[in-house]
Amino acid sequence: MAFWFCIGVALLLSLWSRAETAGIPDGVLRMECHDRYFMIAVDLSFTGDEPHFEAVDETGAYAITQQYAAQCGYSINVHPLPGHVELRASYFSCQTQNKDDEMFTFNFNLNVTQEGKEVTYPLQDKTCSPSVPWSPREVTCETNYMEVSVRSEVTCPSGTKKDDWNSLKPAHSSTTSDWQVMFQTDDEQLPPINISDARKQGYAFLLTEGRLVFRAPYGQPESFSTEVNGVPVETVHATIFSRQSWVVLMVDLVAACSMDEGLYNESGYMMWETPEMLYPNLDGQQINVGLQGELVAQPVAEERGYIVGKQNNTIQICIPENAEGRYRKSAVEDDLYEFYVYHLYLEQILVDEDRVETRIRSLRTLATPLLPSPIFAENQTVLEEHMFTVYLGDVPEDVQLAAVHLNGQEFTVPLSVSSLIITKVVHPNNTHGYKLKVPFEDPVVLQQFSKTDALHYILNINYTLTVLPEKDLYYHMESVVALVTDVSPPQFDAVCTESGISFKLDHRPFDYLWEITIDSDLLTSELADQHGYTMSNDSNSLLLEVRSSLTATSTRTYP
Ligand SMILES: *[C@@H]1O[C@H](CO)[C@@H](O)[C@H](O)[C@H]1NC(C)=O
Ligand SMILES: *[C@@H]1O[C@H](CO)[C@@H](O)[C@H](O)[C@H]1NC(C)=O
Ligand SMILES: *[C@@H]1O[C@H](CO)[C@@H](O)[C@H](O)[C@H]1NC(C)=O
Ligand SMILES: *[C@@H]1O[C@H](CO)[C@@H](O)[C@H](O)[C@H]1NC(C)=O
Ligand SMILES: *[C@@H]1O[C@H](CO)[C@@H](O)[C@H](O)[C@H]1NC(C)=O
Ligand SMILES: *[C@@H]1O[C@H](CO)[C@@H](O)[C@H](O)[C@H]1NC(C)=O
Ligand SMILES: *[C@@H]1O[C@H](CO)[C@@H](O)[C@H](O)[C@H]1NC(C)=O
Ligand SMILES: *[C@@H]1O[C@H](CO)[C@@H](O)[C@H](O)[C@H]1NC(C)=O
C-alpha cells in the first residue's frame, strides 16, 4: 500500500497535447495522451493511403516500418472508418524520452506525399504523464506486439545494487554481454542466447528508472500458440538472467494474449473472449472496457449495454451493436449491406496472493460480417392528388440518392425538372428517406387504357444510390401503378333557353384527359369568342351559351 501511496502523490493528470504543428491544416491532426500510450491520428484525406512516420530521438530519425514498429513499441493502424491513420506509441517505445517513468516525451515526423513531393511535418515534443500509476506488472496486447513491463525493485532480490542492472540499460551498446535470455515454449526450454542476439531476432529489452521492459512481435519462432478453453492464445515466455559473481539474477517475463477475432451473434452483440486463467495464480478480476482507447469500469459499461460474463473459465465481453464509439459502414455486394467496426480496449486487473497487481491491456479491432441492410420503397400515392408519391426509406446515412430512372428516362439528383419533386426526409435513427412526387399527366408516366374505361398510370422507378465515400452504386427498383376507373368522357348538360342552348359541364378530376373541341379546334375562350359563344369557366364548371343556329360538339380524343 505504501508503494501505491508514493506513486499516487506523483500522479499527474494526462496532458492533452494541442495540435499546433506548422503546415498541417486545422482539424486534420489529433494527438492524445492515453493511460498507457500516446496517440496521433491524422486524416487519410491529408496523408493519402500510405503515410510514413519516423520516430525521432537525439541519435536520429528512424522510419517506422512494420517490423521496426513491432520491435520498438509502435503500432500504426489505418482506419478507413472514420478515415484516419492512427499511430500509437507505447510509453516504453524506443525513441521516447523517459523521465523517472513519469514524464514521457515523444518526437515524430510525418511524411506525406503532396503533388508528387515528399513533405516532412515534424510533430515534436509532445509530453505525456500516465494518468494511472504503474502496476508492478503490466502486459499490453497491442495489435502488432506484446509488451510486458515489471517493476524492477520487485524483481530485484534484496541486496542487489542498481549497478547490477545497468548493463541492460543502453539499448544500442554492446555492453550487455553478461545478460542472457532463455525462451520457453509450451513444452521445451530453448538454449540461452545473449541479449544482443535476442535483439537481432526482433525482441526488445529495456531498463528504465524503475522498470524492466520486454517486447515481442507476434508470430516469433520462440512464442507459441495454444487454445485455452477454446480461445486462441499467443504466449511469449522469456527468462532473463545474469551471473554476478555468486549471485544469479533471474527475471521471468511472460506475455500471453487472447487472439480471439470476435464473434457476432444474431442478437446484435459482438463478443470477444479471453481465458480467465491466462496467467497462473492470479485472481480478483477487475475489468475496464471501452472503445477507441477509452476505458470505463465494468458497471458503467454495463449501464451502456455491454455484457461482461464468465463461461467455461472464459471472460466474455459482449459489445452492443450500437455502442458509442463503434463505426458503421454500408457496402454493396449485389445487395446493400452494412458492417460495424469496434476498436476494443480492455483492461483486466488481477492480483496474486500477495496482492501484487498485474494489469493486462488488449487492443483489438473487431468487425462484424456483412449484415443485410434492406431499404424499402412504399407507394404512398393518393389518387385524388393526381400524382404518384413514392417513399424510399431506411436509407443509411452514408448512402445518397444520385439519380432516378423513371420509365427508363434518367433524372439526376438534385432534379432540374420542376414538375418532379424529390424531398429528403431525415430520421433521428440515422436513416433517411426520399419522397418522390410525379404528376400522373407528366410525359414520363406511361398510360394504358383498358376496355372498361379504366386508365392505368405506370411508373417504373430505378433508384441509383451511391455508397460514400467509395461511390459504389446500388440500384433499387419499384413499379407503381395507379388505376383510375372512371375516365368516361365528360358529359355536357344541354338546356334549351329562349335564346339558344346552354351547355354546362361540371368538372371532374379526370376531365383533363379529354379535349373539348369545336369542329376540330380546341375550345378556348378566344375560339368561343370567334364563334360568338359566351363561355364562362371556373374551378367548378364550364358554361357555354350558344345562340340558336350555332352548335358545339364535344369530341372524344385520346391524350
Ligand atoms: C521522410 O522524408 C525525408 C525527407 O524527404 C526522407 O529523408 C525520409 O527517408 C522519409 N522517411 C520515410 C519514413 O519515408
Ligand atoms: C552473443 O553471442 C554471439 C554468439 O552466439 C556472439 O557472436 C556475440 O559476440 C555475443 N554478443 C555479445 C555482446 O556478447
Ligand atoms: C466449454 O468448453 C468446451 C471445450 O472447449 C466446449 O466443448 C463446450 O462447448 C464449452 N461450453 C460452452 C457453454 O461454451
Ligand atoms: C447474443 O449474445 C448475448 C450476450 O451474450 C446473449 O444475451 C444473446 O442471447 C445472444 N444471442 C444469440 C442469438 O445467441
Ligand atoms: C427509422 O425511423 C423511421 C421513422 O421513425 C422508421 O420509419 C424506420 O423504420 C426506422 N428505421 C430503422 C432501421 O429503425
Ligand atoms: C437500373 O439502372 C441501372 C443503371 O442504368 C441498370 O444497370 C440496371 O439494369 C437498371 N435495373 C433495371 C431493373 O432496369
Ligand atoms: C399504389 O397506390 C395506389 C393508390 O393508393 C393504388 O391504386 C395502387 O394499387 C397501389 N399499388 C401499386 C403497386 O402501385
Ligand atoms: C376550365 O377551367 C378548368 C379548371 O380551372 C381548366 O382545367 C380547363 O382547362 C378550363 N377549360 C377551358 C376550355 O378553358
Side-chain angles (χ1 to χ4, degrees):
M1 271 298 112
F3 168 74
W4 293 116
F5 182 69
C6 295
I7 296 257
V9 172
L11 171 68
L12 289 172
L13 278 179
S14 158
L15 297 179
W16 283 67
S17 313
R18 285 247 157 253
E20 53 200 15
T21 304
I24 299 190
D26 272 355
V28 159
L29 175 72
R30 208 153 42 95
M31 296 195 256
E32 287 172 14
C33 299
H34 284 258
D35 50 357
R36 286 300 180 263
Y37 62 88
F38 173 63
M39 188 216 64
I40 298 176
V42 197
D43 283 8
L44 285 172
S45 58
F46 179 71
T47 61
D49 284 345
E50 282 184 38
H52 298 283
F53 286 95
E54 291 175 330
V56 181
D57 65 9
E58 63 277 5
T59 66
Y62 300 83
I64 306 180
T65 60
Q66 221 171 346
Q67 191 194 345
Y68 192 78
Q71 178 165 15
C72 268
Y74 304 108
S75 174
I76 296 178
N77 298 282
V78 173
H79 296 161
L81 299 177
H84 65 220
V85 58
E86 187 172 300
L87 165 70
R88 291 192 292 264
S90 158
Y91 283 175
F92 300 121
S93 49
C94 292
Q95 279 73 29
T96 304
Q97 285 171 44
N98 175 341
K99 192 164 179 299
D100 304 329
D101 292 338
E102 283 170 6
M103 290 254 284
F104 299 85
T105 304
F106 298 87
N107 286 292
F108 292 97
N109 285 336
L110 167 65
N111 275 14
V112 174
T113 308
Q114 283 168 344
E115 291 157 5
K117 274 196 298 190
E118 193 156 36
V119 183
T120 303
Y121 295 97
L123 314 170
Q124 264 158 22
D125 287 331
K126 305 300 164 197
T127 298
C128 297
S129 295
S131 53
V132 181
W134 297 103
S135 294
R137 177 163 68 163
E138 302 231 349
V139 179
T140 299
C141 299
E142 248 293 359
T143 49
N144 55 336
Y145 63 81
M146 302 181 266
E147 183 185 87
V148 50
S149 83
V150 295
R151 201 170 67 186
S152 50
E153 294 96 281
V154 171
T155 49
C156 280
S158 52
T160 40
K161 295 189 295 297
K162 192 87 206 165
D163 285 353
D164 299 335
W165 292 93
N166 275 348
S167 58
L168 253 185
K169 210 165 190 174
H172 305 286
S173 89
S174 58
T175 60
T176 52
S177 55
D178 51 343
W179 279 95
Q180 301 275 305
V181 55
M182 221 158 43
F183 287 100
Q184 227 167 295
T185 66
D186 213 6
D187 45 17
E188 68 174 325
Q189 182 140 351
L190 303 171
I193 56 172
N194 60 37
I195 292 284
S196 57
D197 274 1
R199 282 182 177 141
K200 275 182 205 140
Q201 290 173 28
Y203 297 98
F205 298 90
L206 174 75
L207 187 71
T208 71
E209 185 59 30
R211 301 186 75 82
L212 180 59
V213 183
F214 166 58
R215 191 178 309 112
Y218 290 110
Q220 288 284 94
E222 293 78 13
S223 61
F224 56 99
S225 298
T226 47
E227 273 207 359
V228 182
N229 307 120
V231 181
V233 169
E234 181 164 337
T235 306
V236 61
H237 185 170
T239 305
I240 61 167
F241 63 95
S242 169
R243 273 170 227 281
Q244 320 252 334
S245 63
W246 52 275
V247 179
V248 176
L249 296 179
M250 203 175 227
V251 186
D252 221 17
L253 298 163
V254 187
C257 296
S258 160
M259 302 303 282
D260 187 24
E261 290 181 346
L263 191 71
Y264 177 79
N265 91 4
E266 305 291 299
S267 321
Y269 283 93
M270 187 80 210
M271 182 172 76
W272 189 78
E273 293 188 319
T274 181
E276 199 177 1
M277 282 301 178
L278 261 186
Y279 297 85
N281 309 320
L282 293 183
D283 204 5
Q285 195 78 233
Q286 180 191 326
I287 287 175
N288 300 313
V289 66
L291 298 179
Q292 296 191 63
E294 194 196 297
L295 289 176
V296 297
Q298 182 177 341
V300 179
E302 282 169 351
E303 273 169 31
R304 296 182 187 174
Y306 287 65
I307 302 172
V308 179
K310 263 182 226 177
Q311 203 170 49
N312 237 0
N313 299 319
T314 299
I315 296 165
Q316 299 179 330
I317 311 289
C318 295
I319 313 166
E321 189 173 81
N322 291 322
E324 197 182 324
R326 64 96 173 107
Y327 297 108
R328 187 205 155 283
K329 178 85 190 75
S330 297
V332 181
E333 192 106 4
D334 294 331
D335 255 325
L336 189 61
Y337 293 93
E338 62 182 356
F339 63 94
Y340 295 90
V341 175
Y342 308 85
H343 299 297
L344 173 69
Y345 193 26
L346 177 73
E347 180 182 64
Q348 296 161 263
I349 302 171
L350 308 162
V351 289
D352 66 12
E353 64 253 21
D354 298 328
R355 309 215 49 80
V356 176
E357 243 184 23
T358 295
R359 265 174 209 265
I360 307 162
R361 284 188 185 70
S362 304
L363 292 108
R364 291 288 181 258
T365 294
L366 313 173
T368 66
L370 290 181
L371 311 166
S373 171
I375 59 180
F376 67 90
E378 191 182 52
N379 177 13
Q380 298 182 342
T381 305
V382 176
L383 284 181
E384 288 68 34
E385 289 176 359
H386 304 138
M387 61 166 78
F388 286 111
T389 304
V390 183
Y391 178 72
L392 184 73
D394 276 357
V395 181
E397 53 194 329
D398 57 347
V399 176
Q400 268 185 4
L401 183 63
V404 281
H405 280 80
L406 302 175
N407 293 327
Q409 197 174 327
E410 184 175 11
F411 299 90
T412 51
V413 176
L415 294 175
S416 50
V417 186
S418 59
S419 60
L420 312 177
I421 300 170
I422 292 184
T423 39
K424 186 172 172 179
V425 186
V426 178
H427 299 298
N429 59 12
N430 293 327
T431 70
H432 61 274
Y434 298 94
K435 196 169 264 189
L436 170 69
K437 284 180 179 282
V438 180
F440 288 161
E441 66 265 39
D442 194 277
V444 82
V445 176
L446 297 177
Q447 304 184 350
Q448 237 173 40
F449 278 96
S450 64
K451 293 188 195 88
T452 54
D453 271 347
L455 178 60
H456 290 95
Y457 292 101
I458 302 162
L459 187 64
N460 298 307
I461 313 170
N462 184 348
Y463 292 95
T464 305
L465 297 152
T466 46
V467 175
L468 301 173
E470 307 88 347
K471 300 213 171 73
D472 285 347
L473 297 179
Y474 172 69
Y475 302 103
H476 187 88
M477 250 60 66
E478 184 71 14
S479 289
V480 279
V481 177
L483 177 67
V484 178
T485 45
D486 182 21
V487 288
S488 56
Q491 297 290 331
F492 280 90
D493 284 333
V495 180
C496 291
T497 60
E498 281 167 18
S499 53
I501 311 174
S502 156
F503 296 92
K504 184 161 182 276
L505 178 68
D506 290 326
H507 295 309
R508 298 174 311 166
F510 292 95
D511 283 354
Y512 67 88
L513 290 170
W514 303 93
E515 284 176 348
I516 302 166
T517 61
I518 300 176
D519 295 333
S520 58
D521 299 325
L522 189 65
L523 174 65
T524 60
S525 46
E526 291 79 26
L527 188 72
D529 282 349
Q530 271 173 32
H531 286 265
Y533 305 158
T534 317
M535 185 176 121
S536 59
N537 185 23
D538 60 22
S539 56
N540 293 322
S541 56
L542 172 82
L543 195 69
L544 196 65
E545 284 175 62
V546 180
R547 261 165 281 134
S548 43
S549 83
L550 301 168
T551 42
T553 28
S554 143
T555 313
R556 173 176 182 162
T557 40
Y558 291 124

